[in-house]
Amino acid sequence: MAIVNLKDKTIQIKIVYYGPGRSGKTTNLEFIHNKLQQNRNQQISNLVSIDTKGDRTLFFDFFPVSLGKINGFDLKLKLYTTPGQVKYEATRRLVLKGVDGLVFVADSLTSRQDANLESFENLKSNLLYHKQSLSDVKLIFQWNKRDIDEKMIPLSPIEEMERLLNSELKVQSFPASATSGMNVLKTVNYISKETVKSVIEKTILNKHKMGN
Amino acid sequence: MNTVIREDTVTKVEKILQDFIEESGATYALITDMGGNPLFTAGEEDFDVDTLAALSAANYATTKEIANLIKEDNFSLLFHRGNNENVHFAKITQDILMIVLFKPFLSLGLLRLKINSLQQKIVSIIGN
Ligand SMILES: Nc1nc2c(ncn2[C@@H]2O[C@H](COP(=O)(O)OP(=O)(O)OP(=O)(O)O)[C@@H](O)[C@H]2O)c(=O)[nH]1
Ligand SMILES: [Mg+2]
């Protein structure tokens, strides 16, 4: 649920990285955070990780980032990951509260295709828990771990992953490698832009909804 | 599902929070939505407000889940005592949460009374 503050002229948007355990959600956020720290003069807030001894996500990773101005409003993005492990259902569900944009990080390993599907079904039911559905949020897919050498570990072809997860929705998707950074920034840029666009259309440009 | 907060709403609520800080001696007050977005603030801070809001919303939601799990309606007091700073969490409405930082020498009981009357004032401005 984006927040538009007409006094401070700010828009806050929540983006959540979802997907099965070990698909690379935390690695995505770490890469983005590192890049921002390197590239900017501006102070970047710390990346907060609530995890098990610095490895598997227990609750979420989080950091806020300012994106500059659009239509005179300061844009603030909040990036979150969810825990992918099935057993962390209770905390995973909570992170989705008020989500505006979703990146579904799917694992390209052939052996993880069932886990991708299960996680995607889980996403839908958890949105429902918050009385939301996929049509209320912006969603894109990331086919992660494309850097892996297929001679070593079998990967599913992108077309097959598209068919499995994206054949009905037909939303944007990017092959990526969160460890090397390939398409990681492209993914976050795309979802931010799309989410901001839809929020602005629904709020600032739509005067009827400005009551409250 | 988006929330647009009008200019006069921000002004009014932040004035209430500011008055509360001056009267109670609390250090800092933050109102956040349950998704972790800061909505209104007052007082001095030397930390990242977005992160405080995100962690507080998560903390509150987790506590509520624990209550559900053990079939408790909700815990009436959500409070952390520190050496330098205490934190008190209070639900204002179904959708928003108030976080107050205050020094340990202040009375928790008095502060809670003030937060209660504050809650009613805020609800009268923003509705339920
Ligand atoms: N080769 C390769 N390895 C990756 C890639 N992305 C992540 N990994 C590795 O996969 C493992 C899991 O990555 P995480 O980012 O922790 O996965 P996660 O999705 O956050 O996992 P949970 O927190 O358990 O849900 C780590 O060892 C990463 O280094 C990738 O693009 N390529
Ligand atoms: Mg993780």
Side-chain angles (χ1 to χ4, degrees):
Chain A
M1 194 167 71
I3 304 289
V4 180
N5 183 319
L6 296 179
K7 176 161 187 284
D8 303 340
K9 295 262 180 201
T10 55
I11 301 177
Q12 305 186 59
I13 279 164
K14 181 169 182 175
I15 307 280
V16 175
Y17 282 67
Y18 207 96
R22 286 203 181 284
S23 71
K25 302 175 292 296
T26 297
T27 311
N28 261 275
L29 244 66
E30 285 170 346
F31 184 89
I32 299 164
H33 192 257
N34 279 336
K35 267 284 172 267
L36 287 171
Q37 261 178 337
Q38 286 166 20
N39 292 352
R40 290 206 183 186
N41 313 322
Q42 172 197 347
Q43 191 74 28
I44 290 289
S45 304
N46 287 336
L47 172 63
V48 174
S49 292
I50 306 182
D51 53 22
T52 60
K53 297 190 207 100
D55 183 10
R56 310 301 299 273
T57 305
L58 186 68
F59 201 160
F60 57 81
D61 308 289
F62 167 81
F63 74 95
V65 53
S66 296
L67 281 191
K69 277 196 199 300
I70 183 160
N71 291 17
F73 281 77
D74 276 319
L75 269 183
K76 188 151 250 182
L77 211 65
K78 318 295 175 74
L79 297 177
Y80 289 79
T81 69
T82 47
Q85 290 183 87
V86 173
K87 64 182 169 191
Y88 295 140
E89 172 68 7
T91 48
R92 176 170 46 247
R93 198 164 62 189
L94 295 179
V95 183
L96 282 178
K97 174 85 183 173
V99 62
D100 300 298
L102 277 162
V103 177
F104 189 89
V105 181
D107 197 322
S108 293
L109 300 193
T110 303
S111 60
R112 294 298 283 162
Q113 297 314 305
D114 287 347
N116 286 336
L117 197 57
E118 188 187 343
S119 171
F120 194 61
E121 292 304 317
N122 177 257
L123 166 63
K124 289 189 239 173
S125 79
N126 281 337
L127 283 172
L128 220 55
Y129 173 84
H130 295 289
K131 302 192 173 54
Q132 279 191 298
S133 75
L134 285 177
S135 55
D136 301 320
V137 293
K138 285 282 158 189
L139 166 77
I140 63 171
F141 288 98
Q142 185 186 68
W143 317 124
N144 193 30
K145 306 194 184 175
R146 297 317 300 190
D147 60 287
I148 288 176
D149 185 352
E150 296 194 51
K151 289 184 214 87
M152 310 293 289
I153 305 172
L155 295 187
S156 283
I158 288 170
E159 306 78 66
E160 212 164 275
M161 296 180 75
E162 288 278 352
R163 187 145 30 82
L164 183 71
L165 295 161
N166 197 17
S167 59
E168 283 176 24
L169 295 164
K170 299 210 183 338
V171 295
Q172 181 65 246
S173 63
F174 295 108
S177 164
T179 39
S180 79
M182 192 249 293
N183 281 346
V184 168
L185 297 181
K186 201 168 198 172
T187 304
V188 72
N189 284 338
Y190 189 89
I191 191 68
S192 319
K193 240 184 3 213
E194 286 299 302
T195 310
V196 167
K197 212 160 71 186
S198 94
V199 166
I200 287 179
E201 274 163 18
K202 284 189 222 155
T203 57
I204 298 169
L205 301 181
N206 185 350
K207 295 272 192 290
H208 300 297
K209 285 191 183 162
M210 289 207 340
N212 158 46
Chain B
M1 275 219 314
N2 299 289
T3 301
V4 177
I5 309 173
R6 286 194 332 228
E7 197 167 337
D8 59 325
T9 308
V10 180
T11 308
K12 279 184 207 157
V13 175
E14 292 196 333
K15 168 87 168 71
I16 291 176
L17 291 182
Q18 191 57 46
D19 290 348
F20 161 76
I21 284 198
E22 278 158 25
E23 276 169 33
S24 66
T27 318
Y28 182 77
L30 163 68
I31 291 180
T32 167
D33 71 2
M34 294 298 185
N37 297 303
L39 305 179
F40 313 102
T41 62
E44 294 286 315
E45 92 266 350
D46 60 350
F47 47 79
D48 190 280
V49 175
D50 293 302
T51 304
L52 179 66
L55 291 173
S56 299
N59 182 39
Y60 189 85
T62 312
T63 308
K64 206 168 126 198
E65 290 292 319
I66 294 173
N68 287 343
L69 194 66
I70 64 171
K71 298 180 181 62
E72 185 56 56
D73 270 351
N74 209 346
F75 301 114
S76 58
L77 178 59
L78 190 51
F79 166 68
H80 301 306
R81 187 185 296 283
N83 287 326
N84 255 315
E85 207 76 64
N86 294 342
V87 192
H88 183 276
F89 303 88
K91 185 171 87 172
I92 300 291
T93 70
Q94 245 3 287
D95 301 311
I96 68 173
L97 181 67
M98 173 159 156
I99 298 110
V100 175
L101 304 190
F102 62 102
K103 296 290 174 200
F105 58 77
L106 291 177
S107 150
L108 174 62
L110 277 180
L111 204 91
R112 278 168 67 79
L113 286 176
K114 293 210 170 86
I115 290 173
N116 269 338
S117 73
L118 196 86
Q119 174 178 11
Q120 289 158 18
K121 282 188 214 163
I122 293 170
V123 169
S124 75
I125 294 171
I126 60 171
N128 282 300

